């Protein structure tokens, strides 16, 4: 099977020769991987590992330096970079609207326009992936978590209870931006995008971060709008949330998601493949390979055994990938072992 055929079959819960492979990693992780490989050609590595999906994003404006090592992106998220030994990695701090005291102040922020995005490379990137008969994933949009980074998570959670109009304003603003972003990406790619990704972390390792009722009020309507946009293209929507989000899954399905990522192993049965497979008639699953214990500290045999366990338990409708971006503490040998699990 080609990478495209294998991925499409999995999305339709049809039998494949092996699970499709996807790949994502933090920049320091790539530096560590390249040092091991002796080259820095990511595409060469992806080809050698037979990765079935390629991920692309439009270009964004450079981050602004605010001094003292603090940077701000176009949304007002603020962060510093911490050294890992393999390069710096982002660590968030107080966002630009952390101290906002009114909706007027939030509305007055210099929010980005879609014209700041650069899609000039997207057509060629997609063409090259199609020439290799690979599936294509686009985007890194957000509808709730990124507003919480700009506003501050504590403030955002409180706003849901005492200033709900503030939260709805932010979620709608981000939704409108990413609906337009996805429309432009679809056009610039000549309709060659198979999967669109939306990211909004809603879980802790113990359970949901917010109630199901709050999910339905503050996340559901915007997730549904994104899903409707993507489905009009004939593409699929992948929704990312870390943590134990099992209580949200029926609501997510009702919103129209097609793929759930990263199915983070959290020591709870309800997030295990044995439990999640009950939803296979409605959605596909993506991820599951533990980045907290297995990938950084396990050996090749343990990694291969877990990969096969997920593939065999789901049977169909599963895409192999780490349960978050590969982190810098993951040895290159273990990344390679993961993708050699079905040799």
């Amino acid at each position: 099977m080609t990478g495209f055929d294998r991925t499409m079959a999995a999305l339709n819960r049809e039998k494949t020769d092996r699970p499709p492979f996807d790949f994502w990693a933090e920049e320091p992780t790539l530096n560590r991987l390249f040092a091991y490989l002796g080259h820095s050609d990511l595409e060469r590595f992806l080809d050698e590992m037979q990765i079935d999906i390629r991920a692309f994003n439009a270009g964004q404006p450079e981050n602004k330096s605010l001094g003292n090592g603090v940077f701000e992106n176009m949304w007002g998220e603020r962060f510093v970079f911490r050294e890992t030994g393999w390069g710096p990695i982002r660590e968030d701090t107080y966002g630009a609207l952390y101290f906002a005291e009114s909706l007027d102040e939030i509305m007055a922020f210099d929010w980005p326009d879609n014209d700041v995005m650069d899609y000039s490379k997207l057509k060629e990137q997609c063409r090259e992936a199609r020439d290799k008969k690979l599936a294509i994933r686009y985007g890194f949009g957000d509808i709730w978590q990124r507003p919480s980074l700009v506003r501050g998570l504590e403030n955002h959670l409180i706003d849901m209870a005492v200033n709900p109009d503030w939260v709805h304003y932010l979620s709608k603003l981000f939704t409108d931006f990413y609906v337009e972003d996805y429309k432009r990406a679809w056009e610039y790619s000549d309709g060659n995008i198979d999967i669109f990704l939306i990211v909004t972390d809603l879980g802790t390792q113990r359970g949901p971060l917010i109630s199901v009722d709050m999910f339905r009020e503050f996340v559901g309507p915007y997730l549904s709008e994104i899903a409707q946009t993507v489905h009009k293209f004939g593409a699929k929507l992948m929704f990312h949330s870390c943590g134990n989000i099992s209580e949200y899954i029926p609501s997510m399905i009702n919103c129209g998601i097609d793929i759930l990522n990263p199915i983070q192993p959290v020591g709870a049965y309800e997030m295990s493949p044995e439990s999640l497979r009950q939803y296979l008639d409605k959605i596909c699953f993506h991820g599951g390979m533990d980045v907290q214990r297995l990938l950084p500290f396990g050996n090749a045999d343990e990694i291969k055994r877990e990969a096969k366990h997920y593939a065999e338990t789901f049977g169909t409708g599963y895409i192999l990938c780490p349960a978050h971006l590969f982190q810098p503490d993951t040895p290159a040998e273990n990344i390679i072992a993961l993708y050699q699990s079905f040799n």
Side-chain angles (χ1 to χ4, degrees):
M1 302 181 78
T2 67
F4 174 82
D5 290 340
R6 189 176 291 117
T7 304
M8 293 303 105
L11 293 180
N12 292 316
R13 271 77 77 200
E14 297 170 355
K15 185 175 177 59
T16 58
D17 55 343
R18 63 160 172 82
F21 297 163
D22 202 354
F23 176 93
W24 53 3
E26 300 282 6
E27 283 296 324
T29 315
L30 292 178
N31 294 337
R32 182 175 184 176
L33 175 64
F34 292 151
Y36 175 84
L37 295 173
H39 68 79
S40 57
D41 187 338
L42 178 58
E43 189 65 17
R44 170 184 165 186
F45 172 76
L46 297 180
D47 286 343
E48 289 172 348
M49 294 297 103
Q50 301 180 57
I51 307 301
D52 298 286
I53 300 170
R54 292 294 184 271
F56 304 122
N57 290 291
Q60 299 183 18
E62 291 187 5
N63 300 324
K64 295 187 298 185
S65 174
L66 303 180
N68 297 318
V70 178
F71 294 86
E72 179 179 299
N73 68 9
M74 67 180 186
W75 289 111
E77 297 168 77
R78 292 177 178 174
F79 40 86
V80 297
F81 289 96
R82 302 296 187 194
E83 185 53 54
T84 67
W86 294 98
I89 197 167
R90 170 175 158 168
E91 181 178 299
D92 291 289
T93 185
Y94 297 112
L97 296 174
Y98 183 85
F99 297 104
E101 297 181 349
S102 70
L103 180 56
D104 287 342
E105 190 173 347
I106 292 173
M107 294 174 67
F109 185 73
D110 185 19
W111 296 109
D113 181 271
N114 286 91
D115 289 343
V116 303
M117 304 291 279
D118 179 7
Y119 302 89
S120 60
K121 297 179 181 179
L122 190 58
K123 181 179 292 189
E124 180 63 17
Q125 290 172 327
C126 291
R127 186 194 63 77
E128 291 177 357
R130 280 291 188 253
D131 285 348
K132 292 184 176 183
K133 297 181 172 56
L134 301 171
I136 296 170
R137 169 166 55 84
Y138 174 84
F140 213 81
D142 202 325
I143 52 177
W144 187 87
Q145 183 186 8
R146 189 164 292 157
S148 79
L149 293 174
V150 180
R151 179 77 180 108
L153 179 58
E154 303 93 333
N155 292 336
H156 202 60
L157 292 172
I158 292 171
D159 287 343
M160 294 172 74
V162 300
N163 299 308
D165 52 332
W166 299 17
V167 181
H168 281 298
Y169 174 82
L170 287 169
S171 288
K172 180 59 174 169
L173 186 147
F174 277 74
T175 300
D176 288 347
F177 183 94
Y178 284 109
V179 163
E180 179 63 21
D181 174 45
Y182 290 177
K183 288 179 178 177
R184 295 189 186 193
W186 182 255
E187 179 180 347
Y188 274 87
S189 71
D190 289 335
N192 280 313
I193 297 171
D194 306 299
I195 300 168
F196 288 82
L197 171 64
I198 200 77
V199 177
T200 282
D201 283 339
L202 294 164
T204 73
Q205 296 206 160
R206 297 182 179 181
L209 187 61
I210 60 176
S211 70
V212 173
D213 285 344
M214 282 192 163
F215 172 91
R216 290 171 178 163
E217 178 179 353
F218 294 103
V219 180
Y222 308 105
L223 182 57
S224 294
E225 185 175 349
I226 294 284
Q228 289 166 13
T229 299
V230 168
H231 292 160
K232 286 179 181 177
F233 304 148
K236 303 292 187 181
L237 179 64
M238 183 162 80
F239 183 84
H240 165 98
S241 176
C242 294
N244 184 345
I245 56 168
S246 56
E247 291 184 28
Y248 303 132
I249 293 176
S251 295
M252 291 174 175
I253 291 170
N254 288 337
C255 290
I257 74 164
D258 303 291
I259 311 161
L260 183 60
N261 159 278
I263 53 175
Q264 179 187 351
V266 294
Y269 173 77
E270 55 265 28
M271 288 302 294
S272 69
E274 288 81 0
S275 176
L276 294 175
R277 63 174 297 155
Q278 67 182 292
Y279 300 110
L280 276 174
D281 61 329
K282 296 181 175 66
I283 56 173
C284 177
F285 292 93
H286 178 288
M289 297 297 100
D290 177 29
V291 300
Q292 293 175 283
R293 295 170 294 275
L294 176 67
L295 289 171
F297 305 116
N299 59 45
D301 288 340
E302 292 169 330
I303 291 167
K304 292 178 180 181
R305 186 161 55 246
E306 186 72 349
K308 290 180 178 179
H309 169 68
Y310 268 72
E312 291 169 1
T313 303
F314 281 119
T316 59
Y318 174 62
I319 298 172
L320 181 75
C321 197
H324 204 292
L325 284 77
F326 284 112
Q327 298 297 301
D329 59 354
T330 300
E333 297 92 329
N334 285 359
I335 295 176
I336 294 169
L338 176 62
Y339 295 116
Q340 292 181 339
S341 298
F342 299 88
N343 286 357

